[in-house]
Amino acid sequence: MKIISGKIIFASLIFLLIMSFVINNLLNNDDFLREKDKYKRNPETQDKIIGVEIRQQNKQGDKFLIIADTLEEIESKEKKVILENSLTTIDQKGILTKISAGNAIITNDYSDFIFSKKVKITKKTRKFTLTTQTLTGTFKKGNYHTNDSVYIVSGNTVIEGKGLQIKKNGEYIKIKGKAKLKMLLLEKNAN
């Protein structure tokens, strides 16, 4: 029988020690990757961002400022952004439009929208206000519609109706059902 020398035993222990460090390190890295995967965003585990302020500018030079209580991004073909209690301000060559909604879903790189829960659109320079429950449309073309009751103030005109279709940011407005039209007289004309 051969006797094992001290050098071989020492070298074997060093080899085992190094291998244990390598194996332990690999196992820890595997656990680290598993922990990292746990926080990847997917439709089942979405994270909401609280207190949001987004500034965007499109190719036409229109500026968007979106302020919301919460924001949730859903990665899909449409690139959905869901906002709660949002206020959107659009600056189109100096004409400001403000849109408030309880819920807002914006898709296709901020070009399409679905607003719901007390929607209000205001254009002060044009003395225009639209109030309804839901509104669906596209920012790019300026087309939007709703089947809900609408209340519109435009200058000295008030329109109440059921259902609405607007094209080209108000160049064409159609109330779908019966509507009431009120013309408010100015004080100097009333005398």
Side-chain angles (χ1 to χ4, degrees), residues 40-94:
K40 277 188 180 174
R41 299 182 107 196
N42 63 43
E44 296 158 6
T45 60
Q46 287 295 318
D47 295 326
K48 284 187 180 182
I49 300 170
I50 298 172
V52 178
E53 185 175 310
I54 301 170
R55 295 180 188 274
Q56 292 281 335
Q57 184 169 348
N58 65 15
K59 293 176 185 176
Q60 292 79 24
D62 301 335
K63 297 174 186 173
F64 296 84
L65 170 63
I66 301 169
I67 299 171
D69 288 349
T70 65
L71 175 138
E72 182 178 358
E73 281 186 297
I74 298 177
E75 294 183 28
S76 64
K77 283 188 231 176
E78 301 159 338
K79 296 181 182 177
K80 263 187 197 177
V81 175
I82 301 172
L83 304 163
E84 290 179 352
N85 298 321
S86 66
L87 174 62
T88 303
T89 304
I90 304 168
D91 182 352
Q92 295 173 305
K93 299 175 185 167

Side-chain angles (χ1 to χ4, degrees), residues 117-120 130-135 146-151 164:
K117 292 188 179 177
K118 297 182 182 176
V119 179
K120 185 174 182 179
L130 164 67
T131 307
T132 187
Q133 283 300 310
T134 62
L135 196 64
T146 183
N147 292 324
D148 296 326
S149 296
V150 294
Y151 182 82
L164 171 75

Side-chain angles (χ1 to χ4, degrees), residues 92-93 95 97 121 123 126 128 130 138-144 152 154 159 164-175:
Q92 295 173 305
K93 299 175 185 167
I95 297 172
T97 304
I121 299 176
K123 286 189 179 189
R126 295 192 177 162
F128 177 85
L130 164 67
T138 178
F139 289 118
K140 187 175 182 179
K141 294 180 181 177
N143 299 339
Y144 36 100
I152 301 170
S154 183
I159 303 170
L164 171 75
Q165 184 176 3
I166 294 182
K167 292 188 178 181
K168 296 182 182 179
N169 288 315
E171 287 182 23
Y172 172 82
I173 300 174
K174 179 181 178 183
I175 304 295

